[in-house]
Amino acid sequence: MPITLTVPESLLSAEAEARVFAELTRALLAAAQLDGNPFMTPNVIGSLNVLPKRHVFAGGQPAPAAFIELTLPGIALATADAKQAFIEAATTAVEQAAEGRLRRDHIWTNIVYAAEGSWGIGGRAYDHAELIDAIQSAAAPALVAS
């Protein structure tokens, strides 16, 4: 589940960049109720786009701002509560990582859903049912061991 974080240069320290991605990953897995799932955890991936300050805008003017985009299959974070949980946790993670250099109201989150059957992992396309099966099958050994 790709997470893309876009920020201007100097907003995050090198340590904060890695830390914020760990927090964004935890936020997604928690909101999706998939903490520790051996299929999903390694498939939460991401990229950090660090742009020159003059290339990041809010209100049409260069400004310190952060943009979080999460791409998911249509079955993930399907409820308003799950979306709110992710957006709140992700916003807090980025705000804390910026260590006072970013206003909370300059952090935007966008959740985008991939079309049915177009979710690809390792060269394999999954439809919703296949993805659910892979997630549940990966969790099954952990449930049996409990």
Side-chain angles (χ1 to χ4, degrees):
M1 311 298 140
I3 301 168
T4 303
L5 175 60
T6 303
V7 297
E9 61 195 355
S10 304
L11 183 71
L12 304 176
S13 67
E15 297 80 23
E17 290 176 357
R19 190 174 62 246
V20 76
F21 254 94
E23 289 296 320
L24 292 171
T25 298
R26 280 192 285 279
L28 173 57
L29 291 170
Q33 299 180 353
L34 291 170
D35 293 314
N37 182 279
F39 179 81
M40 283 308 306
T41 300
N43 286 305
V44 177
I45 60 170
S47 61
L48 174 64
N49 298 321
V50 179
L51 302 176
K53 289 180 182 181
R54 68 185 188 281
H55 291 174
V56 178
F57 301 88
Q61 301 295 316
F67 315 107
I68 306 159
E69 182 169 281
L70 173 61
T71 305
L72 297 171
I75 55 171
L77 301 186
T79 69
D81 287 344
K83 290 176 188 127
Q84 179 60 42
F86 174 75
I87 290 169
E88 175 65 28
T91 300
T92 298
V94 172
E95 180 183 33
Q96 290 176 351
E99 300 173 333
R101 291 182 293 276
L102 181 63
R103 293 182 5 210
R104 187 173 183 85
D105 65 342
H106 276 170
I107 302 170
W108 289 270
T109 304
N110 186 32
I111 299 174
V112 178
Y113 289 96
E116 167 68 13
S118 66
W119 198 258
I121 299 173
R124 177 176 174 205
Y126 288 82
D127 64 21
H128 294 342
E130 292 167 329
L131 192 56
I132 290 169
D133 185 53
I135 292 166
Q136 290 174 341
S137 294
L143 294 175
V144 172
S146 300

